[in-house]
Amino acid sequence: MSDYKIETKCIQSGYEPGNGEPRVLPIYQSTTFKYSTSEQMGRLFDLEDSGYFYTRLQNPTNDAVAAKICDLEGGVAAMLTSSGQAASFYSIMNICEAGDHIVCASAIYGGTYNLYAHTIRKMGVEATFVDPDCSEEELNAAFRENTKAVFGESIANPALVVLDFEKFAKAAHTHGVPFVVDNTFATPINCRPFEWGADIVLHSTTKYMDGHASCVGGAIVDSGNFDWEAYGEKFAGLTTPDETYHGIVYTQKFGKGAYITKATAQLMRDLGSIQSPQNAFLLNMGLETLHLRMPRHCGNALAMAKYLKSHDKVAWVNYPGLEGDPYYELGKKYMPGGTCGVLTFGLKGGRDASVRMMDSLKMVAIVTHVADARSCVLHPASHTHRQMNDKELLEAGVQPDLIRFSVGLENIDDIIADVEQALMQV
């Protein structure tokens, strides 16, 4: 649906019913699919034919939703995963193995930091973390001969650093590796990383894409722009025979679909982090209103940021859509229509005051979530980033007093009133 505007794609992409078929995307709630002959199913197992035989590998509901997300991002192929964490893991391990290395922006979600700093290290893949505001020279110095990818978040969670796509893309491509971007907070409504040099985009669909805190999920989208065969020795998993599929070479057989096909045929086959068809159906319902919700989230967040900025009990406010913010100019460059609905702030009373203020909220809830219709807050140092030491917290852009505020879709006057009464308790 490349000729349609993104608002139309949110509603129409991915699923097109034929005559007499359901107008709404059906839920194919089945683990298996029937075939008439053994030969037909055998060809599916050999990747000789396309089709469905087991939901752990592919499912029509999931594929329709993945196709919609792919269209929204402007990619060539996509897949759903069971969570955003699974998408982060698959995106890297699809091209890495023991002995490899990645370069990663340090200001990222705490769970992703732990995944790359500790979990994949146990598998033999090492990560070097760089300040996203580092110079080009410092960024290039982080690369090694065994570097396989560069990773960053379009808007860091919760540091709200806006990534300089062009700087990171240039470094990645200079060193012959793909640039992988988590675009969860901005969504394709506000940011299109492929247009700024990204090669792979991933999402925690649990957040704005779902929009209602109803289902956990993830997605990976391939731009089709990275030339794997130009660096064939480095990415042998894609460019040399896979003996588990009778010697198939993914780049030769699947062309621009090689990366996603390999991630499905190998990683999903062996690790099984599949999104359920029911969750994919709910995700699709959220995607249909994504283009309507994001402007409201951004508008409410900007109003809240301005209110907090003027409050005498507030020490600081971070919101890339707020004029004067350190990332305001990068936000205008890469996300001219708006950034996200999440802001951070701290109180003059420090960490204890921040916690007391949160505990005094009545409508705004304390939850381990972000980016849905309901306003909510979190104290990352106590919650999502709890496993980090003080040094790691600061490297990730998390101050001890930081409150992450996900501004919802309620009337902004009601949200501000709840915050005002809570601040009075501090």
Side-chain angles (χ1 to χ4, degrees), residues 31 48 90-91 94 127 142 160 170 172 209 214-215 277 287 297 321-322 329 357 378 416:
T31 60
E48 292 297 329
Y90 279 20
S91 69
N94 195 38
L160 299 181
K170 179 181 177 181
M209 283 188 164
S214 60
C215 58
L287 287 168
H297 278 295
L322 182 65
E329 294 302 328
M357 178 265 174
L378 186 81
I416 289 176

Side-chain angles (χ1 to χ4, degrees), residues 33 148 173 205 211 255 296 343 400:
F33 300 82
K148 291 291 188 68
H173 297 154
T205 63
R296 176 63 174 263
L343 59 87

Side-chain angles (χ1 to χ4, degrees), residues 150-366:
V150 175
F151 180 90
E153 294 178 357
S154 56
I155 303 175
N157 175 15
L160 299 181
V161 172
V162 176
L163 193 68
D164 190 340
F165 292 103
E166 290 183 317
K167 179 177 71 176
F168 275 77
K170 179 181 177 181
H173 297 154
T174 297
H175 294 274
V177 300
F179 177 30
V180 184
V181 173
D182 182 334
N183 196 32
T184 296
F185 266 19
T187 81
I189 302 302
N190 289 343
C191 183
R192 308 260 291 177
F194 291 154
E195 296 176 3
W196 298 102
D199 299 294
I200 308 294
V201 162
L202 63 93
H203 289 271
S204 170
T205 63
T206 315
K207 310 303 190 299
Y208 286 122
M209 283 188 164
D210 166 67
H212 303 91
S214 60
C215 58
V216 174
I220 307 173
V221 186
D222 182 8
S223 69
N225 293 333
F226 191 81
D227 189 350
W228 306 105
E229 292 204 328
Y231 308 95
E233 291 185 6
K234 186 178 290 187
F235 300 104
L238 285 160
T239 62
T240 62
D242 179 0
E243 298 307 324
T244 68
Y245 282 106
H246 307 297
I248 279 177
V249 177
Y250 290 100
T251 52
Q252 293 178 8
K253 188 170 182 63
F254 301 103
K256 290 183 179 294
Y259 176 90
I260 292 296
T261 300
K262 178 180 179 293
T264 302
Q266 284 188 358
L267 296 180
M268 196 64 80
R269 174 197 64 189
D270 297 341
L271 300 175
S273 300
I274 188 70
Q275 188 169 146
S276 74
Q278 178 71 52
N279 278 10
F281 173 83
L282 293 172
L283 167 59
N284 188 60
M285 298 285 280
L287 287 168
E288 290 181 348
T289 60
L290 182 63
H291 63 293
L292 298 174
R293 291 183 282 106
M294 288 308 296
R296 176 63 174 263
H297 278 295
C298 293
N300 277 359
L302 180 58
M304 177 57 68
K306 290 178 177 179
Y307 162 78
L308 291 169
K309 188 79 172 177
S310 65
H311 202 286
D312 60 2
K313 292 185 179 181
V314 175
W316 57 269
V317 180
N318 286 336
Y319 182 62
L322 182 65
E323 193 166 356
D325 185 89
Y327 298 98
Y328 178 77
E329 294 302 328
L330 279 178
K332 295 295 286 185
K333 176 181 179 178
Y334 294 123
M335 307 161 198
T339 54
C340 66
V342 180
L343 59 87
T344 58
F345 68 100
L347 301 184
K348 292 179 180 177
R351 180 171 183 163
D352 290 342
S354 293
V355 171
R356 285 200 304 274
M357 178 265 174
M358 289 173 55
D359 290 348
S360 300
L361 292 164
K362 296 180 179 179
M363 179 185 74
V364 180
I366 301 173

Side-chain angles (χ1 to χ4, degrees), residues 10 80 102 109-110 134 165 195 201 280 305 309 361 376 383 420:
C10 282
L80 299 187
I102 65 171
Y109 168 58
C134 67
F165 292 103
E195 296 176 3
V201 162
K309 188 79 172 177
L361 292 164
C376 59
H383 305 140
E420 174 66 25

